[in-house]
mmCIF file with all atom_site columns, all heavy atoms in Angstrom:
data_model
loop_
_atom_site.group_PDB
_atom_site.id
_atom_site.type_symbol
_atom_site.label_atom_id
_atom_site.label_alt_id
_atom_site.label_comp_id
_atom_site.label_asym_id
_atom_site.label_entity_id
_atom_site.label_seq_id
_atom_site.pdbx_PDB_ins_code
_atom_site.Cartn_x
_atom_site.Cartn_y
_atom_site.Cartn_z
_atom_site.occupancy
_atom_site.B_iso_or_equiv
_atom_site.pdbx_formal_charge
_atom_site.auth_seq_id
_atom_site.auth_comp_id
_atom_site.auth_asym_id
_atom_site.auth_atom_id
_atom_site.pdbx_PDB_model_num
ATOM 1  N N   . GLN B 1 51  ? 69.890 -14.744 -69.965 1.00 72.00 ? 51  GLN B N   1
ATOM 2  C CA  . GLN B 1 51  ? 70.474 -13.897 -68.930 1.00 72.00 ? 51  GLN B CA  1
ATOM 3  C C   . GLN B 1 51  ? 71.022 -12.614 -69.553 1.00 72.00 ? 51  GLN B C   1
ATOM 4  O O   . GLN B 1 51  ? 71.788 -12.668 -70.518 1.00 72.00 ? 51  GLN B O   1
ATOM 5  C CB  . GLN B 1 51  ? 71.615 -14.640 -68.221 1.00 72.00 ? 51  GLN B CB  1
ATOM 6  C CG  . GLN B 1 51  ? 72.332 -13.787 -67.185 1.00 72.00 ? 51  GLN B CG  1
ATOM 7  C CD  . GLN B 1 51  ? 73.364 -14.582 -66.409 1.00 72.00 ? 51  GLN B CD  1
ATOM 8  O OE1 . GLN B 1 51  ? 73.053 -15.626 -65.850 1.00 72.00 ? 51  GLN B OE1 1
ATOM 9  N NE2 . GLN B 1 51  ? 74.599 -14.102 -66.387 1.00 72.00 ? 51  GLN B NE2 1
ATOM 10 N N   . ALA B 1 97  ? 73.437 -30.716 -44.866 1.00 98.00 ? 97  ALA B N   1
ATOM 11 C CA  . ALA B 1 97  ? 74.096 -30.320 -46.119 1.00 98.00 ? 97  ALA B CA  1
ATOM 12 C C   . ALA B 1 97  ? 73.063 -29.985 -47.192 1.00 98.00 ? 97  ALA B C   1
ATOM 13 O O   . ALA B 1 97  ? 73.208 -28.992 -47.924 1.00 98.00 ? 97  ALA B O   1
ATOM 14 C CB  . ALA B 1 97  ? 75.026 -31.429 -46.594 1.00 98.00 ? 97  ALA B CB  1
ATOM 15 N N   . SER B 1 118 ? 63.893 -8.390  -65.258 1.00 80.00 ? 118 SER B N   1
ATOM 16 C CA  . SER B 1 118 ? 64.196 -6.967  -65.460 1.00 80.00 ? 118 SER B CA  1
ATOM 17 C C   . SER B 1 118 ? 64.972 -6.729  -66.757 1.00 80.00 ? 118 SER B C   1
ATOM 18 O O   . SER B 1 118 ? 64.862 -5.671  -67.363 1.00 80.00 ? 118 SER B O   1
ATOM 19 C CB  . SER B 1 118 ? 65.011 -6.423  -64.287 1.00 80.00 ? 118 SER B CB  1
ATOM 20 O OG  . SER B 1 118 ? 66.325 -6.952  -64.278 1.00 80.00 ? 118 SER B OG  1
#
Side-chain angles (χ1 to χ4, degrees):
Q51 176 175 307
S118 70

